[in-house]
Amino acid sequence: MDPIVTPGLVLREIKYKESDRILTILTPGQGVISAMAKGSLRLKSKLFSSCGLFCYSEFTLFPGKNMYTVNEAQSKTVFHGLSHSVEAMSLAMYMSEIAMMLTPSQGEAETVLRLLLNSLYLAQKENAPLRQIKAVYELRVCSECGYLPQLLMCKGCGLYEGTDFFLDPIDGKLLCKDCAAKEGKKPNLDPGALYAMRHICLANDKKIFAFRIAEQSGRQLYAAAERYMLTHLESVPKSYSFLKSVLE
């Protein structure tokens, strides 16, 4: 079969035998794929650096029965800054695991790949707002993967703004304070948190990180985004517990 040439981000690497690695790669056209990088753990290997964790490379892949084989790889971006912070690396592992859980194999994943690359770029910066990056990623990846919450107005009375709201994490339904009370629910979003959530889910992808939020509104946004994310996953990511322990 003909080789495939594609950019891709290494989401996970597993040592195999003495010097091989099995890679999980997020690609724009084939989604999440597995690939064997033979000899890539040898320091003199031409694949050593380009097949590392969180390396964004141009891969030449040969299809196989169970997985691809990496023939060539040329580094495009390596997120070295992530390794300087336990918190940033933990967030990167969490976001990558979510991408693996939500992105299908052999499917289009360009928007998810671009979102993750942008998130990693910001996360590696010194003093990066990691909780805000986490919330943006959680909400936006849900929206891109078919779980867009219904944020335009209260589903009970049609109210758009002017009060606190409740976002149901299960069905994504938005209720104003009064309609939420009728269903025995308490608001979990103040106006600032709701504005930020609308921006994250509905704005052009180049602008989703471009907002400021007050501390109290931020706490509500971060909690609601995380709960919404976890509700729509089949299981809790393995990296979640450790991330929570270092971010709080």
Side-chain angles (χ1 to χ4, degrees), residues 96-125:
S96 295
E97 189 174 356
I98 289 173
M100 287 186 279
M101 297 173 76
L102 287 180
T103 307
S105 59
Q106 304 304 320
E108 193 279 330
E110 183 175 357
T111 54
V112 175
L113 174 59
R114 185 166 58 247
L115 171 64
L116 183 51
L117 289 172
N118 289 338
S119 299
L120 294 177
Y121 173 78
L122 294 173
Q124 71 175 347
K125 292 186 174 182

Side-chain angles (χ1 to χ4, degrees), residues 149 166-175 183 185 188 228 232:
F166 170 76
L167 176 66
D168 191 314
I170 298 176
D171 62 12
K173 179 173 63 176
L174 191 68
L175 294 173
E183 296 191 14
K185 309 290 185 181
N188 55 8
Y228 192 78
H232 292 281

Side-chain angles (χ1 to χ4, degrees), residues 28 37 44 46 62 81 96 101-102 104 137 179 183 186 188 191 196 198 205 209-210 213 215 221 237 239 241-242:
K44 294 183 179 180
K46 61 181 181 180
F62 282 94
S96 295
M101 297 173 76
L102 287 180
Y137 181 82
C179 291
E183 296 191 14
K186 293 183 179 180
N188 55 8
R198 285 171 171 160
D205 61 1
F209 292 98
I213 190 167
E215 182 177 352
L221 172 67
S239 54
S241 295
F242 184 72

Side-chain angles (χ1 to χ4, degrees), residues 36-52:
M36 174 69 73
K38 295 182 179 180
S40 62
L41 286 175
R42 299 191 184 102
L43 292 178
K44 294 183 179 180
S45 171
K46 61 181 181 180
L47 301 177
F48 179 78
S49 60
S50 55
C51 290

Side-chain angles (χ1 to χ4, degrees), residues 143-161:
S143 300
E144 297 290 355
C145 293
Y147 302 107
L148 177 66
Q150 304 167 38
L151 298 173
L152 293 181
M153 62 183 179
C154 172
K155 292 301 177 181
C157 67
L159 186 68
Y160 177 77
E161 59 185 1

Side-chain angles (χ1 to χ4, degrees), residues 49-63:
S49 60
S50 55
C51 290
L53 184 63
F54 303 131
C55 185
Y56 180 55
S57 299
E58 187 84 8
F59 292 94
T60 300
L61 306 167
F62 282 94

Side-chain angles (χ1 to χ4, degrees), residues 185-196:
K185 309 290 185 181
K186 293 183 179 180
N188 55 8
L189 297 172
D190 65 14
L194 177 57
Y195 175 85

